[in-house]
Amino acid sequence: MESHNEDKPNKMDFLISFLVDARGGSMTGSRKSGIRMVIPPQSAEQPVRITCRQLRPDQVLTLPPLSEGEGLACRILQLTPATFLAPVLMEVPYFTPLSDNREIIVLRSETGKKWTVHLNTTENSNLTSFMATSINNLKDNINTTTITTLKIPQYFAIISRPRQETISVGPDGGVVDSQLNHQVQCLFPSRSLTKQISVGISVFSINKCFTKEMTQQAGAVSPVITVEPRRRKFHKAITVTIPVPEVKLPTKTNQANSLPHPGQPGHLLQMREDMPIETELMLLCSMSGSGSRTVWEDVTLSTPLSFSNNCVQFTTVVSAQFWLLKLPAWMASDKLAIADRIFRSAMRVPYLAQLWVFWREAERKEGVELRVVMVTEGERVTENTLEEKENFTLLGKSAELDILDKSEMQLRISGNMETISGSVQKINFRPFMENRATAELKRKEAYAPAAGQVEVVTDCEEVLFTMPLLFQMGEK
């Protein structure tokens, strides 16, 4: 007599591939990939083997076109293209923090040459009812994005980007108000568009650690405002409203001079103690398209600015990126270089990562080797690691940390330990790989305990992680 279990949906783990038939099932990637695919019964027309690989960026021939501020939230997924009779679901963990100003989107590529935004299916009744069964109960509470589709492409890419606030605007016009910054607005007058399209804005605030030098000289920056879709020409000029950069000085400012001088709307006079600091307000614009490197131009003289309620208003017939800078006069000649440096530092994508700290006795007498490994969440292999092979001992690890891509961090040692001259004291972070730095240490006082503290300091001079050190030398 045949078992009824043969007709039940499969529930299994897989390394790289799995076989699915009309019974459907729920398949979860093993070895901490966390990827889960749910295929309801009767969705597969015939048995099909689905392969799912996670690729690093250097393993993909054509990467998704990414603008500054955008980055891969996890490795790129390479799949077996397949078509189903009903929607199937994929749950993919991502390793970038979500906040009010960032969001996750999904791109797809059928052949690996051209990437488009993936839109989830809307009629998912079969999927919803199947997901309600006990076979699909989730165990792990991790950040995941959900993909539903009738057709699996060759590649999926999960992207973290600055949040875009969009509405549908047609010939009647409309207004996009930012929920992140209520002073930011984009007004589309009637007949600026001839058909109904999705338009929007993104507002990206610059972390103050990237503008310290400018701030000390009475400078300031506004958020970077992007009108989407970029490089679109309108039939009538639209009006963009941006807050005036707020100057915060440690001493009193001359409030009477906080407004532009007559005839010179871009010039402000600030007073700090008894020394006047003349600053210039300038509007920068970038016409670079999505996926292209941002190139800033100063359009202050060619764009009339009006001031109201601590905001600047101007009109444009082309959607682009806009940015207000208030610079001391002596910095104005280098405005584009300064803007480019601040922009590229601030627009780096944040990732969720952990720090692992190891040690071993060095060949040099009375010395130790301290190794710090920095790795994106989910990437660290805990079995048969390089550190185990090289006889390092784990001292400890950090909690989940937010780390910017391409960060260069310093290792600072204190207490009775110090680095030996020439020893590596910095670590560079790149996502989806294990980033290592090894420093050789020695005691300051030979007869005092081999103890101290390690600090990992970001390129913004912020202490990211601190851990006490105590080396049991001679006891291993």
Side-chain angles (χ1 to χ4, degrees):
M1 186 175 181
E2 293 186 7
S3 171
H4 292 292
N5 290 334
E6 295 181 3
D7 298 327
K8 289 185 177 181
N10 290 319
K11 184 176 183 180
M12 65 177 73
D13 293 342
F14 69 92
L15 278 176
I16 295 176
S17 67
F18 59 88
L19 184 67
V20 66
D21 54 25
R23 292 175 299 173
S26 174
M27 295 73 174
T28 304
S30 58
R31 297 186 67 180
K32 295 191 175 182
S33 75
I35 296 172
R36 189 174 72 127
M37 182 169 286
V38 178
I39 302 175
Q42 310 305 318
S43 297
E45 188 174 14
Q46 60 186 9
V48 58
R49 178 165 292 278
I50 303 295
T51 299
C52 179
R53 291 185 173 91
Q54 295 176 286
L55 305 180
R56 293 190 303 270
D58 58 355
Q59 296 174 301
V60 180
L61 187 61
T62 304
L63 288 172
L66 300 178
S67 303
E68 277 94 355
E70 299 178 347
L72 295 171
C74 63
R75 293 192 185 201
I76 293 175
L77 302 182
Q78 183 185 42
L79 304 154
T80 303
T83 302
F84 294 90
L85 301 175
V88 299
L89 176 144
M90 285 187 68
E91 286 181 336
V92 184
Y94 57 84
F95 306 105
T96 56
L98 272 189
S99 58
D100 290 341
N101 63 348
R102 297 201 71 85
E103 65 182 357
I104 295 291
I105 64 165
V106 179
L107 301 182
R108 61 184 290 145
S109 176
E110 308 299 333
T111 62
K113 295 180 180 179
K114 182 181 179 181
W115 293 86
T116 57
V117 176
H118 171 77
L119 299 176
N120 281 345
T121 54
T122 55
E123 177 47 54
N124 300 321
S125 55
N126 288 348
L127 192 55
T128 302
S129 59
F130 183 58
M131 290 285 287
T133 64
S134 60
I135 193 174
N136 291 301
N137 287 343
L138 281 178
K139 295 180 180 179
D140 296 323
N141 184 21
I142 55 177
N143 293 333
T144 60
T145 189
T146 299
I147 301 170
T148 59
T149 183
L150 285 166
K151 185 178 181 181
I152 296 178
Q154 188 172 2
Y155 297 99
F156 273 127
I158 315 303
I159 306 298
S160 170
R161 72 176 186 185
R163 187 176 299 278
Q164 295 182 10
E165 301 175 81
T166 61
I167 64 170
S168 182
V169 176
D172 294 336
V175 178
V176 184
D177 290 302
S178 172
Q179 300 303 309
L180 296 176
N181 188 321
H182 297 295
Q183 292 179 296
V184 176
Q185 184 187 84
C186 190
L187 171 65
F188 294 82
S190 61
R191 295 189 296 279
S192 59
L193 296 168
T194 58
K195 61 180 180 181
Q196 201 83 13
I197 66 166
S198 180
V199 298
I201 53 176
S202 71
V203 180
F204 190 90
S205 297
I206 305 296
N207 191 310
K208 62 182 180 182
C209 77
F210 300 115
T211 59
K212 283 183 179 178
E213 181 182 355
M214 180 193 302
T215 303
Q216 291 170 354
Q217 300 294 326
V221 298
S222 75
V224 178
I225 310 301
T226 307
V227 182
E228 302 281 359
R230 304 184 200 183
R231 295 177 62 85
R232 184 183 182 94
K233 190 169 184 179
F234 303 109
H235 294 273
K236 292 178 65 176
I238 65 172
T239 302
V240 180
T241 304
I242 303 178
V244 174
E246 184 180 0
V247 178
K248 292 184 179 180
L249 293 173
T251 55
K252 295 182 179 179
T253 60
N254 188 342
Q255 300 296 330
N257 292 317
S258 62
L259 296 175
H261 290 297
Q264 294 182 328
H267 289 70
L268 303 177
L269 187 66
Q270 301 282 352
M271 298 293 295
R272 186 171 63 179
E273 296 178 352
D274 58 347
M275 181 183 297
I277 299 180
E278 185 180 3
T279 62
E280 295 185 14
L281 182 67
M282 55 199 70
L283 175 65
L284 302 187
C285 172
S286 172
M287 298 290 292
S288 302
S290 180
S292 301
R293 180 184 174 92
T294 299
V295 178
W296 293 105
E297 297 178 26
D298 184 0
V299 296
T300 311
L301 297 179
S302 60
T303 307
L305 305 179
S306 60
F307 296 79
S308 176
N309 298 323
N310 293 321
C311 290
V312 172
Q313 284 189 337
F314 57 90
T315 59
T316 177
V317 293
V318 180
S319 56
Q321 288 181 291
F322 301 99
W323 195 16
L324 286 173
L325 267 68
K326 187 185 294 184
L327 288 177
W330 67 271
M331 285 186 177
S333 59
D334 297 324
K335 55 183 176 280
L336 296 182
I338 293 172
D340 187 71
R341 174 176 54 81
I342 294 174
F343 180 75
R344 304 212 181 285
S345 297
M347 296 298 282
R348 291 177 295 173
V349 178
Y351 286 90
L352 299 173
Q354 274 189 315
L355 284 167
W356 302 63
V357 182
F358 300 85
W359 82 285
R360 71 179 179 188
E361 291 194 41
E363 295 180 1
R364 185 192 303 263
K365 186 179 180 181
E366 294 299 315
V368 299
E369 289 181 351
L370 183 74
R371 175 170 292 179
V372 176
V373 181
M374 184 179 298
V375 62
T376 320
E377 276 290 293
E379 286 286 319
R380 178 71 176 168
V381 177
T382 56
E383 297 177 359
N384 199 27
T385 64
L386 177 62
E387 281 64 41
E388 286 182 357
K389 295 176 182 178
E390 295 183 348
N391 297 317
F392 277 90
T393 300
L394 178 65
L395 278 174
K397 63 179 181 178
S398 72
E400 193 174 76
L401 303 170
D402 287 10
I403 303 178
L404 295 178
D405 186 16
K406 300 178 183 177
S407 290
E408 181 179 286
M409 279 156 284
Q410 300 291 325
L411 305 181
R412 294 181 181 172
I413 308 298
S414 58
N416 192 41
M417 304 301 294
E418 61 182 357
T419 55
I420 294 174
S421 178
S423 179
V424 175
Q425 298 181 50
K426 66 180 182 179
I427 183 169
N428 297 309
F429 172 73
R430 295 306 308 270
F432 315 123
M433 61 176 61
E434 294 187 344
N435 309 277
R436 289 179 170 85
T438 305
E440 194 169 351
L441 311 180
K442 66 178 182 179
R443 303 188 204 202
K444 292 179 182 177
E445 299 293 336
Y447 300 102
Q453 179 175 274
V454 59
E455 286 184 341
V456 180
V457 184
T458 69
D459 42 21
C460 282
E461 291 297 314
E462 297 174 349
V463 177
L464 184 70
F465 174 69
T466 303
M467 194 181 82
L469 302 174
L470 178 61
F471 303 109
Q472 303 295 333
M473 301 175 65
E475 299 180 12
K476 293 182 66 177

